[in-house]
Amino acid sequence: MAEARDTGAVPPPGDGGTGRVPEVRLAETALVALDEDRILIANPQTGAHGFWPRAQEDRLNRYLDWRRLPDILATAVEDAPATAGESDDGVNGELETLAELIRIGALDERSRDLCGERLPAPGPAWEPAMRFLAATRTLRDTIFALPEAYNALLAEKARLHRQPSAYYERVGAKVLPLSDPTAGRKGRAVRFEDVLLRRRTARRFAETPMSEAQLSALLYYSWGETGSVPNPLGDVFLRKTSPSGGSLHPVEVYAAVMNVEGIEPGLYHYSVRRHALEEIRLEDPRAWISAASGDQEWVAEAGVVFLCTAFLPRTAWKYNYSRVARAVIAEIGYTGQSAFLTATWLGLGAFTTMALRDEIWEEKLGLDPEREPVLSITGAGQLETELKDHARPRKESAPGVDRS
């Protein structure tokens, strides 16, 4: 196996006693060249190569997809001539082609693909992220504080520096109370498993506005306070639909309202304590929101876009070490899934993306990136009833892969 791994060649057909049927296809590293008469396939690592007549191009094209070895032989048998005695290289030709591709190391074996063996570690573009991961990596002898001793240290710290509030608000902002998010709950008799299985990313939205009740329910069930318990250090621990390290919930949410009935377009902060919107500025976000979201034009078609940030001082007060940044980032995912499922339950479409131009969001919302970094957006809106698939953007398309 080590030799096959070095050259890119697959081992001879067989399952090694595992019961697995090998699947192969042309390696992405293989070099292919064509002229009028011949096809050249070469292994650039070893220099091994082979030639085939152009008449066998269709046979070689079959190796562009994963193929089980029994299916390769079955196809050869099907392609063999029906008339006895007619000359054809059918099965033998297929075996010779397979053997030659293996000899020059021009095939990948799917087990190597599935286990990621053929993939290198992330390259230079990932260096900043890899430095963060390396700096926050723990070792087998990493010491974690014992809860009782750590809580005693926090209690002493709280006497000198009061713990940050569990709530975050824009003081002085105009407050728009939201309707009771639980008012229509009894009318939505949908099985939880159906909500899970129906969840899909939507990138097409109808011009019909979302209702204020839908916006209220989205905020409450995704990021709202469902309960609280006393915090022995003088504040409260919030309970929400997603978990949070230390029950601190650093994720803050800003609503870019674009098409919600009864709510003027603009930028708002969600006040968890009051279940209300705090007005930051009234404007139509559609004028700039696509540019702020990596030029994804369909973002502007949503009824509302929720920007998720992390208010780091709330977490850093209790956990003053960098490892916890991993937990903060993970919490963005937890709350995003809550938003996705809530939107699905409400009959809305939803999406999430981290392809953001942070600086635009920071300027629009007055955010300090060292205290409250931008992390992701989750959008929602009404779906176009005449469409079954809302996944593809209206004005964007992928070019596809040239498989010739």
Side-chain angles (χ1 to χ4, degrees):
M1 287 297 293
E3 182 179 352
R5 191 174 302 136
D6 291 340
T7 64
V10 298
D15 61 17
T18 65
R20 177 181 55 80
V21 178
E23 294 179 76
V24 296
R25 74 176 177 189
L26 195 67
E28 62 182 32
T29 56
L31 296 179
V32 180
L34 298 83
D35 61 23
E36 291 184 0
D37 301 318
R38 298 189 302 176
I39 301 171
L40 165 69
I41 299 180
N43 183 332
Q45 296 174 329
T46 65
H49 61 276
F51 290 96
W52 285 261
R54 282 298 296 264
Q56 294 190 19
E57 183 174 352
D58 288 344
R59 172 181 291 168
L60 291 169
N61 279 341
R62 295 171 185 163
Y63 288 89
L64 296 176
D65 295 310
W66 292 116
R67 303 184 70 195
R68 299 168 67 251
L69 296 185
D71 294 339
I72 293 174
L73 299 180
T75 300
V77 171
E78 291 174 3
D79 290 348
T83 305
E86 184 177 335
S87 63
D88 183 82
D89 64 350
V91 176
N92 290 335
E94 188 75 55
L95 289 174
E96 290 173 2
T97 294
L98 177 61
E100 183 70 355
L101 290 172
I102 292 175
R103 181 190 70 80
I104 64 179
L107 295 178
D108 270 339
E109 210 275 324
R110 196 171 194 182
S111 64
R112 295 182 64 232
D113 192 72
L114 293 174
C115 72
E117 179 182 306
R118 67 182 183 85
L119 301 174
W126 273 67
E127 284 185 3
M130 298 307 292
R131 285 197 298 271
F132 163 73
L133 293 174
T136 57
R137 177 173 173 261
T138 53
L139 306 177
R140 64 170 53 87
D141 57 353
T142 297
I143 298 174
F144 288 87
L146 297 174
E148 291 185 4
Y150 194 63
N151 289 336
L153 289 174
L154 289 176
E156 184 63 28
K157 181 178 181 178
R159 293 189 182 96
L160 302 174
H161 305 285
R162 188 168 59 87
Q163 184 180 21
S165 171
Y167 303 103
Y168 175 91
E169 295 175 359
R170 290 296 183 100
V171 177
K174 179 181 177 181
V175 177
L176 285 73
L178 294 167
S179 60
D180 181 359
T182 66
R185 184 170 56 189
K186 293 183 179 179
R188 302 190 190 99
V190 182
R191 296 187 307 172
F192 181 65
E193 64 186 83
D194 291 335
V195 173
L196 283 174
L197 295 175
R198 279 172 33 212
R199 189 220 63 79
R200 292 291 183 273
T201 294
R203 297 188 184 91
R204 292 177 184 260
F205 298 96
E207 295 180 359
T208 306
M210 285 173 49
S211 68
E212 185 276 344
Q214 288 173 322
L215 174 63
S216 176
L218 261 173
L219 285 166
Y220 176 74
Y221 290 111
S222 305
W223 298 283
E225 175 185 352
T226 60
S228 65
V229 296
N231 181 338
L233 300 179
D235 199 67
V236 295
F237 288 126
L238 299 184
R239 297 292 182 254
K240 298 187 179 185
T241 58
S242 57
S244 178
S247 196
L248 296 172
H249 296 284
V251 177
E252 291 294 327
V253 179
Y254 296 83
V257 174
M258 296 177 288
N259 192 15
V260 178
E261 195 172 27
I263 305 292
E264 194 169 351
L267 298 174
Y268 303 84
H269 173 254
Y270 176 51
S271 170
V272 173
R273 183 175 67 90
R274 295 178 287 203
H275 185 60
L277 293 177
E278 298 167 342
E279 181 184 303
I280 296 176
R281 57 199 299 172
L282 297 181
E283 61 177 38
D284 191 344
R286 285 175 288 197
W288 52 267
I289 200 165
S290 292
S293 305
D295 299 320
Q296 298 174 96
E297 296 183 7
W298 46 267
V299 170
E301 297 179 6
V304 63
V305 168
F306 303 108
L307 175 75
C308 292
T309 67
F311 185 58
L312 299 181
R314 187 182 302 145
T315 297
W317 184 92
K318 181 175 183 180
Y319 300 116
N320 193 26
Y321 45 88
S322 60
R323 174 77 178 184
V324 78
R326 295 187 181 214
V328 172
I329 293 172
E331 289 174 35
I332 293 293
Y334 302 149
T335 66
Q337 178 70 336
S338 293
F340 253 105
L341 296 179
T342 300
T344 304
W345 176 58
L346 294 171
L348 300 170
F351 67 85
T352 188
T353 182
M354 292 188 180
L356 306 176
R357 290 188 168 98
D358 299 354
E359 190 174 29
I360 297 178
W361 289 100
E362 292 160 1
E363 291 173 352
K364 291 289 184 180
L365 296 166
L367 302 174
D368 179 352
E370 292 189 2
R371 292 168 52 84
E372 192 177 357
V374 167
L375 292 178
S376 73
I377 60 171
T378 297
Q382 298 284 12
L383 294 174
E384 296 175 324
T385 56
E386 67 275 14
L387 291 177
K388 292 184 178 180
D389 184 2
H390 296 84
R392 297 303 307 160
R394 284 195 179 109
K395 299 180 180 179
E396 298 176 11
S397 61
V401 178
D402 183 2
R403 301 182 62 78
S404 62

